[in-house]
Amino acid sequence: MSRRRIGITLGDPGGIGPEIVVRALSETTRLSATTRSSLTTESTGAEFVIFGDSNVFRSEADRLGIIPDPGAYVFRESGPESPSGRRGVPDKDNGAASFRWFADAVAAARAKEIGAIVTAPISKKSWELAGLPWRGHTEYLASLYPSAIMTFWSDPLTIALFSHHLPLREALADVTKANLLRFFRTLRDGLDAVSPGPHEFLVAGLNPHAGEDGLLGREEREEIEPAICEARESGIPVAGPFPPDIVFRAALGRPEKVVVALYHDQGLIPFKLVAFETGVNATLGMPFLRTSPDHGTAFDIVGKSPADPRSMIAALRLAGRS
Amino acid sequence: MSRRRIGITLGDPGGIGPEIVVRALSETTRLSATTRSSLTTESTGAEFVIFGDSNVFRSEADRLGIIPDPGAYVFRESGPESPSGRRGVPDKDNGAASFRWFADAVAAARAKEIGAIVTAPISKKSWELAGLPWRGHTEYLASLYPSAIMTFWSDPLTIALFSHHLPLREALADVTKANLLRFFRTLRDGLDAVSPGPHEFLVAGLNPHAGEDGLLGREEREEIEPAICEARESGIPVAGPFPPDIVFRAALGRPEKVVVALYHDQGLIPFKLVAFETGVNATLGMPFLRTSPDHGTAFDIVGKSPADPRSMIAALRLAGRS
């Protein structure tokens, strides 16, 4: 296995995925030619394997007038599914194709042919039209690795979600000492594999003012504090629970702090405020790392306005660290 | 009743309240002398009535070397309670005094002697030491006006809290169509009295992605959407529910948008990120307006570092609009 081989999926061929992959590859190649500090075969030993349709990739490169260095990547064609050619709309065939590319990348990672996967955005609607039972990348990965963790990275803020796509009532019910302990361990191991550290996990409370000594909720005393206490005793660098409306501010601009959010919006409301569409999503707790830009297919601008590849470039950089 | 008479409470005499009141009054007087655009008797017809201990006020002004224009305010001494003289720590006597000043200001507002109250920060701990049953200003006001609404104002963002100091589980249970409709009406009436408008209320969903068509929670379909629909039909300018991790960003820098947050941290996490200690808290839904700076007593800097009066000045300005 080469830890440095990184798979890239093209995402929904009707969205901006192919464009940002072309732009990001071109950018990382160009940068490395001048500074040697970027992500390429030369600078990091990374080698990119693109999972997708090479016709889609080439026609996008032609449209943009950008030719990524052909020495920087190889192509892996896969499956009988073909994109429809439609762009800017959800589409059944595009959904089936983008799923196939992703599933093949995951299979290659499980077979240790690649060490990380960077996924361009798919359309949940396209997957639904294709009859797929998973809502998106995350749900597919969770079906294979139930303890996988979603983390979000940006310059100002890094967060980890204790739970993600659950109704808020169910997310509350999941906040138990045993679940938290398991989560802290998985997060510690996952971060150690990605990022040099040292890290500190700052755990947000569940209730206003982190429960205010039990006046505003019982979960902090009964579940969260005991879990933090036991995790610390076992050497995991975790602190809290902190008042939720203070802890994100406290972690801003301090890359060693990872805020643990106890439910989807507790983490993503602040993250999207400070890192809107420039952040990176990383799935930890699997035998390989998966990263992706923190934005969608942007059907409304496909082929009309230039798509911004910065989040994709950041996703490639983070994957290159693993 | 004079709508333009504004009560100011000194807050905990051991905290930064007296300092920011002195500084804010001096600043508004100075500004008006040069620009006539600020909040003073001349520029807005406002007249300030300070509820507190004039010795505390005068000795703070002496310490700072600032003499607020004596024509800009009158003093209302009240009650037998006396501050202890201790500063920088929670204190029983300071708690009793700061409560008395606040309660007298509320009584004056109920008697229509003043049209608005601006409260400098009290110490919840001092109130507790004084044996008071209310956690703070908001709880005391809620005991008199159960449908009072907490709103938070800043240049980038304005929010209204559907519920505030409740355990998250209880906050979820409060999200019913009837409660929401009542809230929207109170908010509309309260805003009309404070701010010229027009406004639009953007309601955050309760669940991730605002429930995603029922896949991630039932409250949007069963309670929130019907309430919004009925409110709109009755002419209230309300829209949503929107994905919680999108709506705050969408409202940024658009002062006509007021985001309705369905629980304490949903609103205060983003608010404190973008308006940390510069925002204003305004209580609506009462016969008078109450505003306050969005920070605490700052016991750690009392008498050591200068306290920043900007949030207090903003609170005075907002009260002056009513």
Side-chain angles (χ1 to χ4, degrees), chain A residues 124 135 157 164-169 172-173 175 205-210 212 215-219 243-246 248-249 252 263-266 268-276, chain B residues 124 135 157 164-169 172-173 205-210 212 215-219 243-246 248-249 252 263-266 268-276:
Chain A
K124 291 183 167 72
R135 293 181 52 255
L157 189 61
H164 40 92
H165 291 136
L166 285 179
L168 187 50
R169 277 171 201 276
L172 293 194
V175 177
L206 187 68
N207 294 296
H209 310 173
E212 198 159 313
L215 284 174
L216 298 179
R218 57 162 196 77
E219 289 87 349
D245 57 353
I246 300 296
F248 296 96
R249 177 106 200 166
L252 268 192
Y263 52 90
H264 181 275
D265 290 327
Q266 189 182 58
L268 289 182
I269 288 174
F271 187 82
K272 295 206 173 183
L273 259 187
V274 301
F276 190 62
Chain B
K124 291 183 167 72
R135 292 180 54 255
L157 187 62
H164 40 93
H165 291 136
L166 285 179
L168 187 51
R169 276 171 202 274
L172 292 194
L206 187 69
N207 294 296
H209 311 173
E212 200 160 311
L215 284 174
L216 297 179
R218 58 163 194 78
E219 289 88 349
D245 57 354
I246 299 296
F248 296 96
R249 176 105 202 167
L252 267 193
Y263 52 90
H264 181 276
D265 291 326
Q266 189 182 56
L268 289 181
I269 288 173
F271 188 82
K272 296 205 171 181
L273 259 188
V274 300
F276 190 61

XYZ file of all heavy atoms in Angstrom, chain A residues 124 135 157 164-169 172-173 175 205-210 212 215-219 243-246 248-249 252 263-266 268-276, chain B residues 124 135 157 164-169 172-173 205-210 212 215-219 243-246 248-249 252 263-266 268-276:
725
model
N -27.270 14.745 -4.071
C -28.127 13.796 -3.360
C -29.364 13.467 -4.187
O -29.861 12.349 -4.179
C -28.531 14.382 -2.006
C -27.374 14.487 -1.013
C -27.852 15.022 0.340
C -26.791 14.836 1.426
N -25.640 15.742 1.298
N -27.952 8.590 1.191
C -28.208 10.003 0.927
C -26.985 10.691 0.341
O -27.117 11.690 -0.365
C -28.642 10.724 2.211
C -30.003 10.268 2.715
C -30.423 11.012 3.980
N -30.332 12.446 3.789
C -29.389 13.223 4.282
N -28.438 12.707 5.019
N -29.385 14.511 4.073
N -11.142 27.511 12.236
C -11.870 26.626 13.157
C -11.843 25.181 12.667
O -11.986 24.928 11.472
C -13.333 27.105 13.228
C -14.274 26.488 14.271
C -13.771 26.756 15.686
C -15.684 27.055 14.107
N -24.451 13.387 13.301
C -24.680 14.303 12.176
C -26.104 14.264 11.667
O -26.932 15.048 12.115
C -23.628 14.137 11.085
C -23.209 12.745 10.776
N -23.793 11.991 9.811
C -22.236 11.986 11.357
C -23.198 10.804 9.772
N -22.258 10.772 10.690
N -26.432 13.342 10.759
C -27.756 13.448 10.132
C -28.821 12.685 10.917
O -29.308 11.639 10.487
C -27.680 13.000 8.676
C -26.886 13.962 7.848
N -25.946 13.587 6.923
C -26.875 15.319 7.850
C -25.405 14.660 6.379
N -25.945 15.723 6.922
N -29.158 13.258 12.071
C -30.192 12.694 12.942
C -31.159 13.811 13.325
O -30.739 14.955 13.511
C -29.570 12.200 14.257
C -28.780 10.914 14.278
C -28.263 10.672 15.700
C -29.638 9.751 13.812
N -32.447 13.477 13.470
C -33.349 14.465 14.086
C -32.776 14.900 15.436
O -32.147 14.100 16.138
C -34.654 13.678 14.270
C -34.597 12.597 13.245
C -33.139 12.231 13.124
N -32.985 16.154 15.805
C -32.354 16.674 17.021
C -32.747 15.862 18.259
O -31.916 15.599 19.127
C -32.706 18.158 17.189
C -32.011 18.906 18.312
C -30.510 18.724 18.307
C -32.358 20.400 18.242
N -34.008 15.430 18.327
C -34.421 14.598 19.467
C -33.574 13.340 19.591
O -33.181 12.938 20.690
C -35.875 14.152 19.291
C -36.896 15.128 19.729
C -38.293 14.668 19.303
N -39.174 15.813 19.287
C -39.810 16.287 20.351
N -39.676 15.679 21.523
N -40.564 17.356 20.267
N -30.039 14.050 20.799
C -29.967 14.220 22.255
C -29.895 12.877 22.961
O -29.140 12.705 23.917
C -31.213 14.962 22.764
C -31.398 16.406 22.345
C -32.476 17.067 23.195
C -30.101 17.158 22.501
N -30.692 11.943 22.476
C -30.734 10.637 23.137
C -29.411 9.894 22.992
O -29.089 9.025 23.802
C -31.887 9.807 22.566
N -26.499 11.142 23.391
C -25.456 11.718 24.252
C -25.378 10.918 25.552
O -26.006 11.249 26.559
C -25.724 13.216 24.515
C -24.674 13.788 25.464
C -25.714 13.997 23.204
N -21.039 21.943 25.647
C -22.149 21.385 26.406
C -23.338 21.131 25.493
O -23.349 21.522 24.327
N -24.328 20.453 26.043
C -25.549 20.204 25.265
C -26.580 21.291 25.525
O -27.322 21.696 24.633
C -26.129 18.848 25.678
C -27.300 18.362 24.842
C -26.835 18.018 23.437
C -27.950 17.147 25.494
N -26.614 21.768 26.763
C -27.657 22.695 27.202
C -27.100 24.123 27.291
O -25.886 24.319 27.292
C -28.163 22.249 28.579
C -28.884 20.916 28.519
O -29.929 20.810 27.882
N -28.314 19.889 29.147
N -28.005 25.118 27.365
C -27.531 26.499 27.530
C -26.561 26.606 28.707
O -26.787 25.983 29.760
C -28.825 27.270 27.824
C -29.919 26.473 27.222
C -29.482 25.039 27.341
N -25.487 27.358 28.537
C -24.487 27.562 29.584
C -23.908 26.234 30.075
O -23.501 26.133 31.238
C -25.062 28.330 30.776
C -25.790 29.589 30.401
N -26.500 30.335 31.299
C -25.938 30.226 29.215
C -27.043 31.379 30.687
N -26.726 31.330 29.415
N -23.907 25.216 29.197
C -23.431 23.873 29.578
C -24.156 23.359 30.820
O -23.578 22.701 31.684
C -21.914 23.868 29.779
N -25.362 24.849 33.374
C -25.252 25.711 34.560
C -25.458 24.930 35.863
O -26.444 25.115 36.573
C -26.239 26.890 34.444
C -25.866 28.024 35.386
C -26.460 29.368 34.961
O -26.367 29.715 33.770
O -26.996 30.048 35.841
N -28.832 23.293 36.615
C -30.064 24.090 36.580
C -30.736 24.034 35.214
O -31.960 24.133 35.110
C -29.756 25.562 36.891
C -29.480 25.926 38.333
C -29.051 27.384 38.452
C -30.748 25.672 39.170
N -29.931 23.919 34.171
C -30.480 24.011 32.812
C -30.292 22.714 32.031
O -30.151 22.735 30.815
C -29.831 25.183 32.057
C -30.063 26.576 32.636
C -29.355 27.638 31.803
C -31.563 26.885 32.687
N -30.313 21.593 32.732
C -30.202 20.327 32.017
C -29.310 19.357 32.768
O -28.373 19.760 33.454
N -29.582 18.070 32.608
C -28.890 17.070 33.404
C -27.765 16.361 32.652
O -26.931 15.681 33.250
C -29.884 16.011 33.895
C -30.645 15.330 32.782
C -31.294 14.017 33.179
N -31.669 13.283 31.985
C -30.823 12.613 31.219
N -29.556 12.514 31.532
N -31.232 12.007 30.118
N -27.731 16.476 31.309
C -26.794 15.650 30.540
C -25.338 15.963 30.865
O -24.493 15.063 30.848
C -27.028 15.809 29.037
C -28.314 15.183 28.518
C -29.513 16.119 28.613
O -29.406 17.187 29.268
O -30.560 15.795 28.037
N -19.641 26.263 27.803
C -20.880 26.852 27.276
C -20.820 26.900 25.746
O -19.844 27.409 25.178
C -20.890 28.257 27.886
C -20.093 28.125 29.144
C -19.016 27.114 28.811
N -21.842 26.361 25.090
C -21.796 26.273 23.627
C -21.639 27.626 22.941
O -21.003 27.709 21.895
C -23.150 25.638 23.277
C -23.549 24.879 24.498
C -23.014 25.655 25.653
N -22.167 28.692 23.544
C -22.084 29.983 22.851
C -20.755 30.698 23.108
O -20.566 31.830 22.674
C -23.278 30.888 23.194
C -23.413 31.146 24.682
O -22.663 30.530 25.473
O -24.267 31.959 25.062
N -19.842 30.028 23.812
C -18.512 30.593 24.076
C -17.405 29.774 23.403
O -16.413 30.308 22.936
C -18.244 30.603 25.610
C -19.270 31.443 26.352
C -16.833 31.075 25.921
C -19.231 32.912 25.989
N -16.851 28.045 20.636
C -16.382 28.181 19.246
C -15.533 29.440 19.105
O -14.499 29.444 18.454
C -17.571 28.177 18.281
C -18.311 26.867 18.298
C -19.436 26.688 19.082
C -17.833 25.794 17.569
C -20.094 25.470 19.122
C -18.482 24.568 17.599
C -19.618 24.402 18.386
N -15.989 30.495 19.743
C -15.207 31.729 19.752
C -13.830 31.489 20.391
O -12.816 31.993 19.927
C -15.986 32.783 20.553
C -15.250 34.078 20.704
C -15.851 35.119 19.833
N -14.942 36.205 19.581
C -15.129 37.102 18.649
N -16.182 37.037 17.872
N -14.280 38.056 18.458
N -11.363 29.880 18.005
C -11.087 30.558 16.724
C -9.608 30.882 16.580
O -8.997 31.456 17.484
C -11.848 31.885 16.652
C -13.227 31.916 16.017
C -13.645 33.358 15.793
C -13.310 31.120 14.743
N -24.142 17.916 18.283
C -25.150 17.630 17.253
C -24.826 18.481 16.024
O -24.050 19.446 16.114
C -26.578 17.860 17.766
C -26.823 19.212 18.401
C -27.252 20.294 17.627
C -26.618 19.418 19.758
C -27.474 21.544 18.193
C -26.828 20.668 20.329
C -27.248 21.719 19.548
O -27.448 22.957 20.111
N -25.394 18.093 14.904
C -25.089 18.659 13.574
C -25.023 20.180 13.574
O -23.994 20.781 13.238
C -26.173 18.160 12.610
C -26.039 18.606 11.189
N -26.523 19.820 10.735
C -25.500 17.993 10.112
C -26.284 19.926 9.439
N -25.666 18.830 9.027
N -26.096 20.847 13.967
C -26.129 22.304 13.804
C -25.290 23.019 14.851
O -24.820 24.129 14.610
C -27.571 22.810 13.840
C -28.325 22.377 12.596
O -27.692 22.292 11.527
O -29.527 22.106 12.701
N -25.067 22.406 16.002
C -24.199 23.046 16.988
C -22.819 23.280 16.387
O -22.195 24.306 16.651
C -24.084 22.170 18.239
C -23.381 22.877 19.389
C -23.226 22.000 20.614
O -22.644 20.931 20.569
N -23.767 22.465 21.724
N -22.141 22.983 12.802
C -22.118 23.531 11.441
C -22.624 24.961 11.360
O -22.269 25.690 10.429
C -22.861 22.599 10.487
C -22.074 21.305 10.236
C -22.789 20.408 9.248
C -20.665 21.601 9.741
N -23.431 25.399 12.310
C -23.803 26.824 12.313
C -22.541 27.685 12.459
O -22.290 28.547 11.613
C -24.851 27.138 13.401
C -26.219 26.562 13.019
C -24.963 28.649 13.632
C -27.293 26.695 14.109
N -21.715 27.478 13.478
C -20.519 28.327 13.559
C -19.519 28.052 12.447
O -18.898 28.976 11.920
C -19.941 28.000 14.939
C -20.512 26.676 15.300
C -21.882 26.635 14.674
N -19.362 26.781 12.064
C -18.357 26.486 11.033
C -18.695 27.199 9.727
O -17.829 27.811 9.098
C -18.241 24.970 10.799
C -17.112 24.619 9.888
C -15.822 24.522 10.371
C -17.322 24.433 8.530
C -14.756 24.239 9.531
C -16.264 24.145 7.675
C -14.980 24.043 8.180
N -19.965 27.117 9.328
C -20.321 27.727 8.032
C -20.313 29.254 8.104
O -20.197 29.913 7.081
C -21.673 27.194 7.562
C -21.590 25.696 7.276
C -22.607 25.213 6.276
C -22.299 23.757 5.943
N -23.197 23.201 4.924
N -20.434 29.802 9.301
C -20.314 31.259 9.425
C -18.879 31.715 9.190
O -18.645 32.732 8.544
C -20.723 31.707 10.828
C -22.102 32.291 11.029
C -22.219 32.827 12.443
C -22.436 33.378 10.021
N -17.928 30.981 9.730
C -16.541 31.461 9.639
C -15.782 30.872 8.461
O -14.751 31.396 8.073
C -15.742 31.207 10.950
C -16.416 31.892 12.131
C -15.563 29.721 11.238
N -16.293 29.784 7.866
C -15.529 29.117 6.796
C -16.432 28.740 5.639
O -16.279 27.690 5.048
C -14.839 27.870 7.344
N -17.370 29.634 5.291
C -18.370 29.298 4.288
C -17.737 28.902 2.958
O -17.050 29.701 2.316
C -19.292 30.496 4.076
C -20.492 30.172 3.232
C -21.409 29.228 3.649
C -20.704 30.825 2.038
C -22.527 28.936 2.885
C -21.822 30.538 1.263
C -22.733 29.592 1.691
N -25.023 37.485 38.414
C -25.984 36.453 38.840
C -25.580 35.885 40.194
O -26.415 35.561 41.031
C -26.052 35.339 37.800
C -26.704 35.766 36.484
C -26.824 34.599 35.515
C -27.754 34.935 34.349
N -27.185 35.888 33.392
N -32.648 34.544 38.383
C -31.258 34.365 37.949
C -30.675 35.651 37.407
O -29.461 35.849 37.432
C -31.157 33.265 36.889
C -31.462 31.889 37.440
C -31.361 30.804 36.383
N -30.082 30.835 35.723
C -29.878 31.290 34.494
N -30.882 31.750 33.784
N -28.680 31.291 33.972
N -25.836 41.189 12.477
C -26.865 40.158 12.649
C -27.862 40.560 13.740
O -27.459 41.096 14.773
C -26.171 38.839 13.048
C -26.978 37.557 13.131
C -27.570 37.189 11.770
C -26.099 36.408 13.617
N -35.270 30.584 25.758
C -33.908 30.905 26.166
C -33.358 29.980 27.238
O -32.711 28.988 26.908
C -33.740 32.395 26.501
C -34.867 33.035 27.236
N -34.883 33.120 28.584
C -36.007 33.609 26.783
C -35.995 33.730 28.953
N -36.696 34.050 27.886
N -33.622 30.255 28.510
C -32.928 29.475 29.537
C -33.705 28.219 29.917
O -34.271 28.125 31.007
C -32.617 30.366 30.746
C -31.577 31.389 30.426
N -31.659 32.700 30.801
C -30.431 31.290 29.709
C -30.606 33.359 30.343
N -29.847 32.525 29.683
N -33.720 27.272 28.993
C -34.381 25.986 29.191
C -33.402 24.882 28.805
O -32.635 25.044 27.854
C -35.577 25.845 28.245
C -36.854 26.613 28.532
C -37.869 26.305 27.433
C -37.406 26.215 29.899
N -33.478 23.739 29.520
C -32.734 22.576 29.008
C -33.158 22.307 27.562
O -34.321 22.533 27.199
C -33.191 21.447 29.936
C -33.612 22.124 31.202
C -34.194 23.444 30.769
N -32.238 21.820 26.747
C -32.536 21.661 25.321
C -33.734 20.738 25.098
O -34.570 21.003 24.224
C -31.279 21.141 24.600
C -31.351 21.061 23.074
C -31.831 22.348 22.440
C -29.991 20.672 22.507
N -33.847 19.687 25.894
C -35.015 18.799 25.753
C -36.326 19.551 25.922
O -37.291 19.321 25.196
C -34.986 17.704 26.832
C -34.166 16.530 26.490
C -34.020 15.614 27.714
N -32.837 14.794 27.551
C -32.840 13.645 26.884
N -33.945 13.171 26.358
N -31.715 12.965 26.754
N -37.113 21.830 22.992
C -37.684 21.105 21.846
C -39.182 20.905 22.028
O -39.960 21.063 21.083
C -37.032 19.724 21.708
C -35.576 19.666 21.314
C -35.201 18.253 20.891
C -35.323 20.611 20.176
N -39.574 20.567 23.251
C -40.988 20.292 23.497
C -41.849 21.547 23.359
O -43.046 21.467 23.108
C -41.158 19.678 24.895
N -34.851 26.186 11.025
C -35.457 24.901 11.336
C -34.957 24.393 12.679
O -34.060 24.973 13.299
N -35.556 23.306 13.146
C -35.117 22.723 14.412
C -34.098 21.611 14.155
O -33.157 21.428 14.916
C -36.338 22.132 15.136
C -36.077 21.641 16.548
C -35.798 22.809 17.468
C -37.267 20.828 17.061
N -34.298 20.884 13.078
C -33.492 19.698 12.788
C -32.449 20.001 11.708
O -32.550 21.012 11.018
C -34.418 18.569 12.321
C -35.356 18.114 13.434
O -34.902 17.596 14.440
N -36.657 18.355 13.266
N -31.450 19.118 11.550
C -30.472 19.321 10.481
C -31.179 19.503 9.137
O -32.174 18.813 8.858
C -29.670 18.011 10.485
C -29.826 17.470 11.871
C -31.185 17.885 12.326
N -30.687 20.437 8.328
C -31.270 20.706 6.999
C -32.761 21.033 7.088
O -33.512 20.765 6.164
C -31.069 19.525 6.047
C -29.673 19.005 5.987
N -29.321 17.874 5.310
C -28.521 19.460 6.533
C -28.023 17.645 5.431
N -27.515 18.605 6.191
N -33.196 21.597 8.219
C -34.618 21.896 8.443
C -35.488 20.664 8.214
O -36.587 20.744 7.676
C -35.074 23.072 7.575
N -35.217 18.180 6.258
C -35.090 17.564 4.924
C -36.343 16.762 4.559
O -36.320 15.549 4.435
C -33.824 16.692 4.865
C -33.406 16.446 3.433
C -31.940 16.036 3.297
O -31.075 16.709 3.885
O -31.683 15.043 2.618
N -37.344 13.657 6.527
C -36.376 12.567 6.730
C -35.600 12.735 8.028
O -35.204 11.758 8.653
C -35.360 12.547 5.584
C -35.843 11.983 4.249
C -34.762 12.185 3.179
C -36.176 10.497 4.408
N -35.356 13.974 8.436
C -34.491 14.230 9.596
C -35.252 14.911 10.732
O -34.673 15.702 11.476
C -33.284 15.079 9.171
C -32.338 14.451 8.148
C -31.204 15.406 7.801
C -31.768 13.139 8.676
N -36.530 14.618 10.869
C -37.285 15.195 11.976
C -38.672 15.630 11.520
O -38.859 16.008 10.372
N -39.612 15.590 12.455
C -41.000 15.831 12.092
C -41.481 17.239 12.426
O -42.520 17.689 11.953
C -41.905 14.824 12.795
C -41.787 14.858 14.305
C -42.918 14.205 15.047
N -42.851 14.609 16.449
C -43.244 15.771 16.916
N -43.766 16.682 16.128
N -43.121 16.069 18.213
N -40.735 17.967 13.277
C -41.261 19.237 13.785
C -41.490 20.269 12.687
O -42.427 21.062 12.771
C -40.338 19.828 14.856
C -40.330 19.074 16.184
C -39.309 17.949 16.222
O -38.741 17.591 15.153
O -39.072 17.403 17.315
N -32.588 25.826 6.557
C -31.550 25.013 7.206
C -30.772 25.869 8.209
O -30.283 26.950 7.867
C -30.662 24.576 6.039
C -31.584 24.585 4.849
C -32.505 25.751 5.087
N -30.693 25.421 9.456
C -30.054 26.242 10.488
C -28.620 26.631 10.164
O -28.181 27.723 10.547
C -30.114 25.338 11.730
C -31.272 24.430 11.487
C -31.298 24.183 10.012
N -27.902 25.775 9.434
C -26.493 26.107 9.188
C -26.324 27.030 7.979
O -25.198 27.333 7.594
C -25.630 24.845 9.062
C -26.109 23.914 7.965
O -27.172 24.176 7.365
O -25.421 22.904 7.696
N -27.412 27.477 7.397
C -27.375 28.398 6.263
C -27.977 29.757 6.617
O -27.520 30.803 6.167
C -28.177 27.807 5.074
C -27.588 26.477 4.616
C -28.258 28.798 3.917
C -26.193 26.587 4.064
N -28.207 31.846 9.187
C -27.519 32.968 9.845
C -26.577 33.655 8.857
O -26.482 34.877 8.813
C -26.784 32.481 11.095
C -27.732 31.967 12.141
C -28.019 30.614 12.251
C -28.385 32.845 12.994
C -28.922 30.140 13.179
C -29.290 32.387 13.932
C -29.561 31.030 14.024
N -25.899 32.853 8.081
C -25.041 33.398 7.038
C -25.873 34.232 6.052
O -25.444 35.300 5.607
C -24.382 32.227 6.303
C -23.530 32.650 5.137
C -22.081 32.538 5.478
N -21.260 33.370 4.648
C -19.996 33.633 4.905
N -19.435 33.139 5.985
N -19.301 34.395 4.132
N -26.608 37.726 7.340
C -25.472 38.581 7.724
C -25.461 39.882 6.925
O -25.554 39.872 5.691
C -24.159 37.863 7.443
C -23.509 37.042 8.546
C -22.085 36.695 8.136
C -23.535 37.732 9.885
N -33.959 27.829 19.786
C -33.460 27.555 21.137
C -32.220 28.401 21.370
O -31.610 28.923 20.427
C -33.197 26.050 21.357
C -32.322 25.392 20.320
C -30.938 25.346 20.484
C -32.863 24.817 19.174
C -30.117 24.753 19.541
C -32.049 24.230 18.222
C -30.683 24.197 18.407
O -29.863 23.615 17.469
N -31.867 28.546 22.628
C -30.820 29.458 23.102
C -29.552 29.407 22.251
O -29.127 30.397 21.659
C -30.522 29.104 24.561
C -29.488 29.945 25.246
N -28.133 29.685 25.138
C -29.595 31.020 26.060
C -27.457 30.567 25.862
N -28.321 31.402 26.428
N -28.938 28.226 22.154
C -27.634 28.168 21.505
C -27.724 28.253 19.991
O -26.767 28.687 19.348
C -26.894 26.889 21.919
C -26.484 26.951 23.378
O -26.167 28.054 23.854
O -26.502 25.908 24.043
N -28.855 27.866 19.431
C -28.988 28.016 17.975
C -28.797 29.477 17.584
O -28.215 29.783 16.557
C -30.363 27.527 17.512
C -30.487 27.444 16.005
C -31.849 27.003 15.547
O -32.868 27.603 15.877
N -31.897 25.922 14.789
N -27.464 31.985 19.895
C -26.344 32.677 20.536
C -24.978 32.176 20.082
O -23.998 32.916 20.166
C -26.499 32.645 22.055
C -27.647 33.560 22.514
C -27.773 33.544 24.028
C -27.457 34.999 22.035
N -24.895 30.956 19.586
C -23.608 30.529 19.009
C -23.243 31.444 17.839
O -22.166 32.043 17.845
C -23.634 29.035 18.600
C -23.615 28.133 19.840
C -22.450 28.711 17.684
C -23.807 26.650 19.541
N -24.094 31.617 16.840
C -23.689 32.514 15.741
C -23.619 33.975 16.169
O -22.707 34.703 15.742
C -24.774 32.295 14.676
C -25.926 31.715 15.399
C -25.348 30.914 16.530
N -24.525 34.406 17.037
C -24.496 35.822 17.412
C -23.190 36.187 18.097
O -22.556 37.192 17.786
C -25.687 36.171 18.315
C -25.795 37.645 18.567
C -26.399 38.481 17.642
C -25.259 38.211 19.714
C -26.474 39.851 17.847
C -25.317 39.581 19.930
C -25.925 40.399 18.994
N -22.773 35.339 19.045
C -21.544 35.667 19.783
C -20.294 35.514 18.918
O -19.260 36.123 19.216
C -21.451 34.828 21.057
C -22.603 35.181 22.006
C -22.308 34.893 23.457
C -23.422 35.484 24.317
N -23.215 35.281 25.745
N -20.392 34.726 17.859
C -19.248 34.641 16.943
C -19.064 35.939 16.169
O -17.948 36.393 15.970
C -19.463 33.514 15.935
C -18.752 32.202 16.151
C -18.956 31.307 14.942
C -17.278 32.377 16.429
N -20.172 36.524 15.717
C -20.031 37.693 14.837
C -20.117 39.010 15.593
O -19.725 40.048 15.058
C -21.066 37.684 13.682
C -20.893 36.439 12.827
C -22.492 37.811 14.181
N -20.633 38.991 16.827
C -20.850 40.254 17.543
C -20.409 40.152 18.984
O -21.043 40.677 19.887
C -22.337 40.635 17.482
N -19.264 39.475 19.210
C -18.832 39.204 20.577
C -18.670 40.481 21.396
O -17.844 41.330 21.079
C -17.515 38.446 20.542
C -17.103 37.900 21.878
C -17.899 36.989 22.539
C -15.930 38.302 22.469
C -17.519 36.480 23.767
C -15.538 37.799 23.702
C -16.337 36.890 24.354
